Amino acid sequence: MTDAILQIENLTKQYPGFLLDHISFSIPKGSIMGLIGENGAGKSTTIKAALGLIKKEDGRATFWGQELSLNKNLKEDIGIVFDGINFYETLTPAKVGSISKAAYKQWNSRLYLDYLQRFQLPSDKEIKDFSKGMKTKLCIAAALSHDPKLLILDEATSGLDPVIRDDILDVFLEFVQDENHSILMSSHISSDLEKIADYITFIHQGKVLFCKPKDELRYRYGIIRCKTDVFHTIDPSEILAFRKDDYQWNVLIADKEKARRNYKNAVIDDASIDDILLLYVKGEQQK
């Protein structure tokens, strides 16, 4: 990928029983990168290590060529939303705005008020009385109101109802319409990423399994569903992952049109991001 706004190179973090193992990927400007993987795969660790919130053993993350963990001035250009409220719950949105105005040189009070109105957030109500969805929308409003170039979201839409999630995804799509803006979005809700992501990075057991354009996954990947006799005729070099259930084999392949030409006795289905994740996590790979 060229013209990357964020470059992550060889990020490594060791915990007892877990290794984040030389994670590398990059995000082009004007795009949304979805970060997927099962719980405990290393998504949040990757984000925290990139931001310098935890000490890493190796690697670096650079924003427009400047290392994130070494340059505190970059906070102006990066908005961050984690799963959970970022502010004291005795504050009101109005007080959050006042504090943020003092913290960020680029703070846009007008834009912040516009987001509060759009998200139907009362400015004088204490955060502790907000629902989870309202708290998330407040964090997103604050993150977007200091004119960041990069928005980093760690499971920010988890636990929200579909209507609220859809509204928030529309805001993210609007944000990247300015092609100097980008988003790194960690989520276990694959339908969100299928709607808005341009690229998908899949982390499994602390390693990057792939980083690919979403459209390649959606339009090229497929699943061969077949009996044992057909399974043994499949070229092993075409198999990304496979799993046997009670009645058939499910085989993940990277070129479904080729498979449809070659294996006419098998059913070839489209593969969703969930299908791909499940077969990689619960299936087997060729030795």
Side-chain angles (χ1 to χ4, degrees), residues 189-240:
I189 305 172
S190 63
S191 60
D192 287 358
L193 300 179
E194 286 184 335
K195 177 177 179 179
I196 69 170
D198 299 293
Y199 300 91
I200 300 288
T201 294
F202 180 22
I203 297 180
H204 177 53
Q205 295 180 348
K207 295 182 179 181
V208 171
L209 286 190
F210 62 72
C211 179
K212 293 183 178 294
K214 179 194 66 181
D215 285 349
E216 179 179 339
L217 300 175
R218 289 179 62 193
Y219 300 125
R220 295 199 61 193
Y221 275 46
I223 299 174
I224 302 174
R225 305 196 192 276
C226 60
K227 301 297 185 183
T228 298
D229 58 337
V230 175
F231 173 75
H232 289 304
T233 69
I234 300 174
D235 183 345
S237 68
E238 297 177 11
I239 298 175
L240 301 176

Side-chain angles (χ1 to χ4, degrees), residues 6-9 11 50 59-63 66-69:
L6 181 70
Q7 183 87 36
I8 290 178
E9 301 172 273
L11 277 188
R60 65 177 193 155
T62 54
F63 174 77
Q66 300 179 70
E67 188 160 355
L68 278 179
S69 60

Side-chain angles (χ1 to χ4, degrees), residues 118-132:
R118 178 173 179 175
F119 290 155
Q120 298 181 321
L121 298 174
S123 62
D124 57 351
K125 187 175 182 179
E126 290 189 352
I127 296 171
K128 68 179 184 337
D129 296 322
F130 282 9
S131 67
K132 179 176 175 59

Side-chain angles (χ1 to χ4, degrees), residues 84-104:
I85 190 69
N86 300 347
F87 308 110
Y88 291 115
E89 297 212 343
T90 54
L91 295 176
T92 63
K95 290 179 181 177
V96 168
S98 297
I99 293 168
S100 299
K101 184 177 181 180
Y104 293 102

Side-chain angles (χ1 to χ4, degrees), residues 2-282:
T2 59
D3 213 8
I5 191 170
L6 181 70
Q7 183 87 36
I8 290 178
E9 301 172 273
N10 296 315
L11 277 188
T12 303
K13 175 63 182 178
Q14 178 82 57
Y15 288 116
F18 176 77
L19 173 65
L20 189 72
D21 192 2
H22 295 87
I23 298 293
S24 297
F25 61 89
S26 60
I27 306 175
K29 68 176 183 178
S31 68
I32 298 176
M33 172 69 76
L35 193 60
I36 66 170
E38 72 275 24
N39 289 338
K43 303 187 299 296
S44 293
T45 302
T46 297
I47 288 173
K48 290 174 182 176
L51 292 170
L53 300 177
I54 57 175
K55 185 178 180 181
K56 55 188 180 291
E57 273 70 50
D58 194 12
R60 65 177 193 155
T62 54
F63 174 77
W64 288 135
Q66 300 179 70
E67 188 160 355
L68 278 179
S69 60
L70 300 179
N71 193 332
K72 304 303 181 185
N73 293 326
L74 293 179
K75 73 173 186 177
E76 293 281 342
D77 290 323
I78 299 174
I80 304 168
V81 181
F82 291 108
D83 178 19
I85 190 69
N86 300 347
F87 308 110
Y88 291 115
E89 297 212 343
T90 54
L91 295 176
T92 63
K95 290 179 181 177
V96 168
S98 297
I99 293 168
S100 299
K101 184 177 181 180
Y104 293 102
K105 295 176 183 177
Q106 299 170 178
W107 182 257
N108 186 329
S109 297
R110 180 69 260 167
L111 181 61
Y112 178 65
L113 291 175
D114 287 346
Y115 276 123
L116 294 186
Q117 291 176 0
R118 178 173 179 175
F119 290 155
Q120 298 181 321
L121 298 174
S123 62
D124 57 351
K125 187 175 182 179
E126 290 189 352
I127 296 171
K128 68 179 184 337
D129 296 322
F130 282 9
S131 67
K132 179 176 175 59
M134 293 169 72
K135 291 175 181 177
T136 298
K137 289 191 285 187
L138 175 62
C139 292
I140 291 169
L144 288 172
S145 295
H146 58 84
D147 191 27
K149 302 300 183 290
L150 174 65
L151 189 60
I152 297 179
L153 308 159
D154 188 10
E155 299 288 357
T157 59
S158 67
L160 304 182
D161 70 60
V163 174
I164 292 175
R165 285 210 328 272
D166 199 58
D167 289 343
I168 289 173
L169 295 179
D170 286 342
V171 170
F172 296 159
L173 287 171
E174 291 169 13
F175 177 72
V176 295
Q177 290 307 302
D178 179 331
E179 294 188 357
N180 289 314
H181 292 166
S182 297
I183 296 175
L184 173 60
M185 180 177 176
S186 160
S187 179
H188 66 274
I189 305 172
S190 63
S191 60
D192 287 358
L193 300 179
E194 286 184 335
K195 177 177 179 179
I196 69 170
D198 299 293
Y199 300 91
I200 300 288
T201 294
F202 180 22
I203 297 180
H204 177 53
Q205 295 180 348
K207 295 182 179 181
V208 171
L209 286 190
F210 62 72
C211 179
K212 293 183 178 294
K214 179 194 66 181
D215 285 349
E216 179 179 339
L217 300 175
R218 289 179 62 193
Y219 300 125
R220 295 199 61 193
Y221 275 46
I223 299 174
I224 302 174
R225 305 196 192 276
C226 60
K227 301 297 185 183
T228 298
D229 58 337
V230 175
F231 173 75
H232 289 304
T233 69
I234 300 174
D235 183 345
S237 68
E238 297 177 11
I239 298 175
L240 301 176
F242 62 92
R243 188 182 185 194
K244 187 178 187 301
D245 61 25
D246 292 340
Y247 305 104
Q248 65 184 7
W249 292 83
N250 303 293
V251 184
L252 181 67
I253 40 92
D255 190 339
K256 63 188 174 190
E257 295 308 321
K258 179 181 178 182
R260 284 171 178 150
R261 293 192 300 270
N262 292 344
Y263 309 110
K264 297 188 182 298
N265 293 329
V267 174
I268 317 294
D269 287 338
D270 296 340
S272 68
I273 291 175
D274 262 349
D275 293 330
I276 294 168
L277 188 151
L278 285 170
L279 271 168
Y280 267 117
V281 171
K282 294 192 173 182

